[in-house]
Amino acid sequence: MPEETSLEVVEADDGLWHEYDLLARRSYGQPVGDISRLREHADIRVALRDGRVIGGGLGLPVPQYFGGKHVPSACLAGGCIAPEERGSHLWSLLLDERTRSLQDQGAVLATAWTASTGYGRRMGWAAPAPVFSWEVPSDQLGRSFADIGFKITHIPEGHTGVRQAEFAARWNGPWLRPQWWPVWQQDVHPDLTHYEFALPGHAPDGLLTLGFDRHPVDGRQLVVHDFWADSSDAASAMLCFLGRHSSRIPTVMFQRTALPPTPLLHRLHRAGAAAATSWHPWMLRVLDLTKAVQLRGWPGDLDIALSLTVASSTGDQAFTLHISGGHGELTPTSSPRTQLALTEQQFAVWYAGGYRSATSALLDGVGGAPADVARLVGATSETEPWLPEYF
């Protein structure tokens, strides 16, 4: 096994970026287009051994909404380790260095999509919510949902405007989408089409983005990439519109994360009409606990004070959590005894609103009296976790 002392992680210049691009192709078994598409927007770090690139990854400094406010976040993508270097625990070092550079740029959270959820959890990451894609017969959508008179407008670009940001702020996790979002998505999926749904004389109540993909049986299927609805009526009109494609497209697929985590599709009348596929979830790590609490949005009518201990790989730290008037503070203390005990992974799930009740938090191992756990959970359960952007 190579000596770790010969390893360093640096920001990639043009030459190192090219080496990383070639390595990623070899590591993933295919070209990774986003390495080029996102180059000018990303922080690119590579791991070098004796001057040779043996790993790397992209870091996107993109804020995410939590509690209605956007919090500076590091969104990690395109990570790889050379196949011949795997098994020597290089990934944890590279991941730490990638997040450290973005933290130096102001990030207090880090988010990633990864199939290695167990490995991520051991490093302090947690999955706030399960992730599914849904496949639904298009004729069922047409029969199960109605349109009460929404005007449907085709628009040329993807959804990044003020209205989309208003919808995104109602969940924990969505990006404050940067200006390069529409161009990037259209480059990745050239067939995307975008629609707005609005009642006459009103601002859009629904935003929808569609694409097409191959289907193993039907030949083609409709794929929903973006689904933002302001009301049940708007969601119903959007689903009804999707059902109108039934003459040409037998199935509609809501790609992973495209559908909000609601029981919406349960309104389908036929049992088994909506088929769910579980995907690896997005994972969250809180890089700076105190700043993350300070920058997050909080319910204006909430007034609580709790003491808690957060356990991490670097040791246990006691804090006092005080939330009042829509503002939160997490203050380090030296108190040997606290009301609540959480791991850093449990803190991340709580921060994202992943605990929907005190029972779920207690079952996950959050320590404390049920009444105190209920007060803690109530501080973040007003908004649900959902990350509709896949990167």
Side-chain angles (χ1 to χ4, degrees):
M1 183 180 297
E3 294 292 335
E4 289 195 8
T5 54
S6 65
L7 186 75
E8 60 176 335
V9 178
V10 300
E11 185 175 6
D13 58 18
D14 288 348
L16 294 176
W17 172 85
H18 180 65
E19 286 189 54
Y20 159 58
D21 187 22
L22 294 176
L23 172 62
R25 293 174 183 233
R26 180 161 63 90
S27 180
Y28 281 90
Q30 63 183 15
V32 184
D34 281 346
I35 290 176
S36 295
R37 294 187 188 100
L38 297 174
R39 182 184 179 189
E40 63 179 300
H41 311 296
D43 181 274
I44 303 177
R45 301 282 155 169
V46 294
L48 302 176
R49 191 186 300 285
D50 299 325
R52 180 174 59 92
V53 175
I54 62 169
L58 301 173
L60 301 168
V62 179
Q64 292 177 263
Y65 283 101
F66 287 90
K69 291 185 177 180
H70 46 85
V71 181
S73 181
C75 298
L76 306 181
C80 66
I81 296 291
E84 66 273 17
E85 294 279 352
R86 293 172 188 169
S88 53
H89 305 290
L90 301 180
W91 183 243
S92 58
L93 173 62
L94 179 58
L95 193 60
D96 282 344
E97 290 300 318
R98 290 169 64 193
T99 54
R100 182 176 293 111
S101 67
L102 289 159
Q103 190 173 1
D104 290 342
Q105 300 173 44
V108 299
L109 308 172
T111 298
W113 292 96
T114 176
S116 304
T117 54
Y119 191 75
R121 184 169 179 81
R122 289 194 296 274
M123 295 180 61
W125 298 67
V131 171
F132 297 94
S133 64
W134 293 87
E135 189 172 296
V136 188
S138 53
D139 60 351
Q140 281 293 299
L141 291 174
R143 285 196 289 265
S144 301
F145 296 93
D147 183 348
I148 64 169
F150 281 81
K151 179 183 178 182
I152 305 170
T153 304
H154 172 248
I155 59 175
E157 290 191 348
H159 302 297
T160 58
V162 173
R163 190 63 170 146
Q164 184 272 333
E166 291 174 354
F167 293 150
R170 300 174 188 176
W171 303 89
N172 292 328
W175 284 13
L176 174 62
R177 290 181 175 176
Q179 292 301 310
W180 47 262
W181 169 269
V183 175
W184 170 44
Q185 288 297 290
Q186 205 73 41
D187 193 26
V188 176
H189 308 285
D191 63 343
L192 291 182
T193 55
H194 317 280
Y195 299 90
E196 291 182 343
F197 293 71
L199 291 170
H202 291 75
D205 289 331
L207 308 174
L208 187 67
T209 294
L210 310 177
F212 294 88
D213 203 353
R214 295 179 180 178
H215 190 277
V217 177
D218 301 327
R220 298 287 282 172
Q221 69 177 355
L222 197 64
V223 181
V224 177
H225 291 257
D226 246 358
F227 191 101
W228 301 94
D230 192 35
S231 65
S232 175
D233 286 341
S236 182
M238 294 161 69
L239 293 167
C240 179
F241 170 75
L242 294 172
R244 295 175 192 168
H245 293 76
S246 60
S247 61
R248 294 191 306 109
I249 305 293
T251 59
V252 176
M253 198 271 279
F254 297 86
Q255 72 162 4
R256 70 190 82 174
T257 79
L259 196 68
T262 69
L264 190 63
L265 285 179
H266 297 177
R267 290 161 53 187
L268 289 171
H269 300 308
R270 292 185 183 175
T277 301
S278 177
W279 293 96
H280 55 265
W282 58 283
M283 300 195 80
L284 176 70
R285 184 178 180 185
V286 183
L287 302 175
D288 189 318
L289 302 184
T290 57
K291 287 185 179 179
V293 168
Q294 185 179 24
L295 295 173
R296 191 192 192 281
W298 301 98
D301 59 351
L302 187 65
D303 190 358
I304 64 169
L306 292 165
S307 59
L308 57 142
T309 300
V310 180
S312 70
S313 58
T314 58
D316 297 353
Q317 175 67 61
F319 298 92
T320 297
L321 172 68
H322 184 212
I323 303 170
S324 180
H327 182 70
E329 292 287 345
L330 188 69
T331 306
T333 71
S334 57
S335 174
R337 301 188 63 176
T338 57
Q339 295 166 278
L340 297 160
L342 300 86
T343 63
E344 60 182 333
Q345 296 89 341
Q346 291 164 346
F347 189 96
V349 174
W350 166 76
Y351 185 89
Y355 295 128
R356 308 311 301 158
S357 67
T359 299
S360 65
L362 288 164
L363 283 175
D364 193 41
V366 174
D372 292 332
V373 174
R375 292 169 65 202
L376 180 73
V377 169
T380 60
S381 61
E382 187 175 72
T383 46
E384 293 186 63
W386 178 39
L387 180 56
E389 290 83 12
Y390 191 81
F391 52 92

